[in-house]
Structures are given as structure tokens and as C-alpha cells.
Amino acid sequence: MKPKLFGSSGIRGLANKDITTTLAQRVGAAIATMNQGGQVVVGYDARISGPMLEMALSSGLNAAGADVIQVGLVPTPVTAWMIGETGSDAGVEVTASHNPPPYNGLKVFNRKGMSLTIKEQLATEKVLVDESYDWAQWDTVGATDDVDAIEAYVGMLADSINIEGETRVAADCFCGATSTLAPHAFGEFPLKSNIINAVPDGTFPAGNSEPSMESLMGLGRYMKALGCEVGFGFDGDGDRMMPVGADGLMVNPDRALAAYAGYAVERNGGGTVVTHVGASMNVDDMVKEAGGKIVRTPVGDAFITEAMAKHGAVFGGEPVGAWVFPEHHMCPAGVMGALKIIEALEVTERSMEEFISAAPEYPLDRLKLECKELQKARAMKMIAKSYQDAYRDVDSVSTVDGVRLEMENGWALIRPSGTEPLIRITVEGRTMGDVEDIMDRGRVLVKRVLGKL
């Protein structure tokens, strides 16, 4: 059974339409009810509707007996980390991550500082649906306290990350939540740091708050003008980062993830790395070469962190730049990820380009085929049962999120879109010929299935 309100990254929608103050208050009351009051950390990103939703959320928490620690405008990982730092029972970041300015949402964390598991999401939704809130008596309502979380988080970074060189580095905060953290964090190290768009603004005037090849072009030009060696772009709520090389171009995100995964395993002397079903097989290559093993999950950081906790992973992440460092906390962290990369470059004595060059780059192709929403579930069941009609050389099959078929020369992921009436096919191969062959067979398989519906 899947949650109806929670998505893979919390609750999201249009502010004041889908994500209303009434909903925020109810979610707050549900969280407090689930924790028998307790103590909850609440933060928000740079969006204009953030303070409004924070107040409503806090009132719901207080009304059901929870004390609230308000940390204000901070990146999502800061809110998650503060749960353990303050001994709290839960935490909520008011955020819609990289979505456009009109959106907002609620990302809820448990007492371990991890996104709620599916089981925890369903339990919270049941309280909401049944309206079974445990309202406090007049004299046991919760209290609210304001805490400076940035200083504490920066102190943790400075104490746990070792950077001694004067690397010339640049970063683009895109006027998001990392504006409150990145300048202070980078300033704790002897780096020659140059940070742009570090003024919080919920209209995101600096451009798309999702770091991409296009949105990072401005940072790339800035870096080349200053002669920077490495750069980073952060998303709206600061749980993701994307590296940029000295040439001013965004590095291949799959190669960056694979290279760091191999580095983390090698430094640890083995261990497990968790990534999702859509990540490149170069992650497998790098981790296995370093003596580790891979666990794959459905797409979404909540699934990544749940699997990391289960397997005691040394590292986990998604190619979109959501990297998790369990030795620090169990939430993807953009600024921490940037500093950890700089640390790795120092340890290995490599440039960003040299660091990722160790990870192979394989050709990739994607295809989307129309499929009515009501037919998706049946189509995927049929594909899972009949894939051998098209693929006879499959080494392993995963159905944790769609159908992923691994072969000696590549893999195919057949997965229904979560937002459109489509079935998507993603194929990666060791050569372009492998990609074309695997994709052709996937296309035939899916079309045959859709023709029978």
C-alpha cells in the first residue's frame, strides 16, 4: 500500500491551493499525536509562503502537545541534523526543493533525522484521514523556542571535514536556502571561495533553483573568469549539489556519484553503497572494484536512506546530487557534499576532472510510450511476467521500482511515469550498439504489452 499524501520527497503542491495553512496545521497535529507530544524541529526554505506555513505547522504541533524548536530559514539537511542535536522526536522542513516559486511542501523526518519510511508515512496519514488527533489540554499545549542552527551545523562541518589547501572554489546558491549556510561553511576553511546569489529570495531571480547543465552556465562563466578549480550549484532547499569542473561545465552526475562511491568504499576498506534503479552501472563498477557491494532502491531519497540504515551503508546517493554521508547524518546534504568532494580531491591529489575520469562513461538512451493511467499497473505486471519474450540473456531482475533487467552488456529500466500517462524505458549499454539492441527489444516488448490492454 502506497501513501496518498506523501510522495517520494514529502508532501508537495501549490502554496495556498494544495499546501494550505489548514493542511500544515493538521500535519503538525498528526506528527505531535504520533509522538505523544514530544519535541519537533521546524525549518523552512526561501519560498515566500514558508513563514506562513511554518506558523500554521507550529500551531498544530503545539495544539497537540509538542514543543517546537524553530530554526528559521535553513537548508533541509540542517533541520534534519538538528533533530539528533537537540534530542527531538521529529522534524519538518517547509520546502518544495527545486520546484518553481509558487510551490511549497512539507518534508517530514523521524527521530533518526531520516525521511519518514513508508510505514511511518501511512501511520501519519491514518491520523490525518481519521482526524484522530490527540489535542492537548489548555495547560499542556506545547511551547515554541527559536534556535540558531546554522552556527551549530557549521561547527560540525568544521570539526569533521579536513581541508587544508587553498583551493579556488565557486558556488551558486541560486538565492535559495544555502544562502544562509554556504558563505559561513566555506569560510571555516582556508579555501579561496567565491559565492554568488547568496541572498535568499523566494522568487528565485537568479534562475531555475534546480542545478542543471543550463542553469549552471552562469556559474561556469564566473569560474573561468576567476580561474576557479571547482564549483558547485545548490538546489532550492540545499539537499542537493552539482559539481562544475575548471572548464566551467557541469560534470557528468553519474560519473561524479560513481567516483565518490568508489572513493568512500576504498577509504572505508569495503562496505555497501546504496543508489536507485536508474543510476548508471558505472556505480557498480567503481564500488565492486573498491571491494564493496551495491544495493538499489526505488527512486527517492527516502528509499535511499531507509536502505542505508538497514544495510549499514558507508555512502548513498542519487545522480541528481542528493548524496548522503551516514557518518554525519542521514539526510542528503548539498553544502556538506561540496566540502566532502573538495576533501576527496585533496586526499587523492586530483582535479575534479581527474577524479571523475576513473569512472567509466557509458552511452544512455531514453524512450517514452503513451499508456493510460488506469492501464499502468496491469501493463507493468504483464511486462514483469513476459520480459523473457524479448530478453533471454538477463543476469538479474529487480522490481522494486518498475522492472530493471541487468545483462552483461547493459541494462534496461521499464518504469511508469509518476506524473504523466507514459511508460518510460531507460537503457544503458557498454557500447552504442548495445544500447540500440537493448532499446529495440524493450520497445517491442512494451508495445506488444500495450497492444493487449
Side-chain angles (χ1 to χ4, degrees), residues 167-170 186 216 219 223 227-233 241-263 286 315 319 321 323 325 334 336-361:
T167 302
R168 189 176 293 275
V169 58
F186 279 76
L216 290 170
L219 174 63
M223 286 175 59
C228 293
E229 300 162 67
V230 65
F232 302 93
M241 62 81 206
M242 197 60 69
V244 177
D247 60 0
L249 299 176
M250 185 185 88
V251 306
N252 181 301
D254 278 288
R255 294 182 82 189
L257 177 67
Y260 194 91
Y263 166 81
M286 295 300 290
F315 176 67
W323 293 12
F325 306 91
M336 177 183 286
L339 293 170
K340 295 286 277 188
I341 285 178
I342 296 170
E343 180 184 51
L345 299 183
E346 276 197 11
V347 170
T348 59
E349 298 182 339
R350 295 176 182 174
S351 66
M352 188 71 230
E353 292 82 354
E354 291 169 340
F355 183 73
I356 69 164
S357 68
E361 184 173 10

Side-chain angles (χ1 to χ4, degrees), residues 20-105:
T20 63
T21 53
T22 301
L23 175 63
Q25 188 179 52
R26 289 175 58 224
V27 170
I31 293 169
T33 298
M34 291 292 297
N35 290 284
Q36 297 178 310
Q39 181 171 279
V40 181
V41 178
V42 174
Y44 57 90
D45 69 13
R47 294 168 189 276
I48 292 170
S49 56
M52 170 189 78
L53 292 170
E54 179 218 31
M55 287 188 286
L57 176 70
S58 296
S59 73
L61 287 162
N62 287 160
D67 292 328
V68 176
I69 294 179
Q70 292 183 331
V71 293
L73 202 171
V74 300
T76 293
V78 175
T79 295
W81 178 76
M82 283 295 289
I83 297 168
E85 186 71 2
T86 58
S88 295
D89 300 286
V92 186
E93 176 84 353
V94 179
T95 178
S97 187
H98 59 275
N99 280 37
Y103 286 78
N104 216 325

Side-chain angles (χ1 to χ4, degrees), residues 24 40 149 162 191 239-240 244 280 312 328 330 332 369 414:
V40 181
N162 184 32
L191 300 166
D239 64 350
R240 289 162 48 186
V244 177
S280 171
H328 300 287
M330 292 292 277
L369 298 170
I414 304 171

Side-chain angles (χ1 to χ4, degrees), residues 426-441:
T426 303
V427 170
E428 184 179 49
R430 298 195 180 276
T431 68
M432 198 62 220
D434 292 329
V435 171
E436 291 170 356
D437 175 55
I438 297 170
M439 180 60 83
D440 285 343
R441 288 188 278 168

Side-chain angles (χ1 to χ4, degrees), residues 261 271-275 283-285 287-288 292-296 406:
T272 298
V273 168
V274 179
T275 190
V283 181
D284 302 66
D285 292 344
V287 169
K288 290 174 183 177
K293 62 179 182 178
I294 283 280
V295 170
R296 288 186 181 266
E406 293 191 6

Side-chain angles (χ1 to χ4, degrees), residues 127-379:
V127 176
L128 287 164
V129 171
D130 296 346
E131 297 188 350
S132 54
Y133 310 110
D134 189 7
W135 301 113
Q137 297 298 314
W138 68 271
D139 57 349
T140 58
V141 296
T144 300
D145 191 20
D146 295 329
V147 173
D148 182 355
I150 293 295
E151 183 178 355
Y153 192 82
V154 169
M156 179 271 290
L157 293 175
D159 290 341
S160 57
I161 297 175
N162 184 32
I163 297 173
E164 298 178 354
E166 297 182 356
T167 302
R168 189 176 293 275
V169 58
D172 193 340
C173 296
F174 289 103
C175 299
T178 53
S179 301
T180 64
L181 172 64
H184 303 290
F186 279 76
E188 287 293 311
F189 301 93
L191 300 166
K192 294 180 179 177
S193 56
N194 305 273
I195 300 177
I196 60 175
N197 299 316
V199 177
D201 188 330
T203 65
F204 299 125
N208 185 355
S209 61
E210 180 173 17
S212 63
M213 184 76 75
E214 183 179 357
S215 67
L216 290 170
M217 290 179 67
L219 174 63
R221 290 191 294 268
Y222 180 68
M223 286 175 59
K224 290 179 74 174
L226 295 180
C228 293
E229 300 162 67
V230 65
F232 302 93
F234 303 114
D235 73 333
D237 72 322
D239 64 350
R240 289 162 48 186
M241 62 81 206
M242 197 60 69
V244 177
D247 60 0
L249 299 176
M250 185 185 88
V251 306
N252 181 301
D254 278 288
R255 294 182 82 189
L257 177 67
Y260 194 91
Y263 166 81
V265 171
E266 186 176 343
R267 293 278 289 177
N268 190 70
T272 298
V273 168
V274 179
T275 190
H276 65 56
V277 292
S280 171
M281 60 187 174
N282 62 10
V283 181
D284 302 66
D285 292 344
M286 295 300 290
V287 169
K288 290 174 183 177
E289 184 180 331
K293 62 179 182 178
I294 283 280
V295 170
R296 288 186 181 266
T297 72
V299 175
D301 67 86
F303 297 109
I304 298 280
T305 52
E306 186 175 358
M308 287 181 70
K310 178 181 178 181
H311 295 278
V314 298
F315 176 67
E318 302 178 277
V320 293
W323 293 12
V324 183
F325 306 91
E327 67 270 31
H328 300 287
H329 57 66
M330 292 292 277
C331 174
V335 171
M336 177 183 286
L339 293 170
K340 295 286 277 188
I341 285 178
I342 296 170
E343 180 184 51
L345 299 183
E346 276 197 11
V347 170
T348 59
E349 298 182 339
R350 295 176 182 174
S351 66
M352 188 71 230
E353 292 82 354
E354 291 169 340
F355 183 73
I356 69 164
S357 68
E361 184 173 10
Y362 297 120
L364 185 80
D365 193 16
R366 292 185 173 89
L367 176 70
K368 52 189 180 183
L369 298 170
E370 290 186 10
C371 177
K372 294 179 181 178
E373 197 67 38
L374 295 176
Q375 295 179 332
K376 285 180 180 178
R378 189 177 169 209

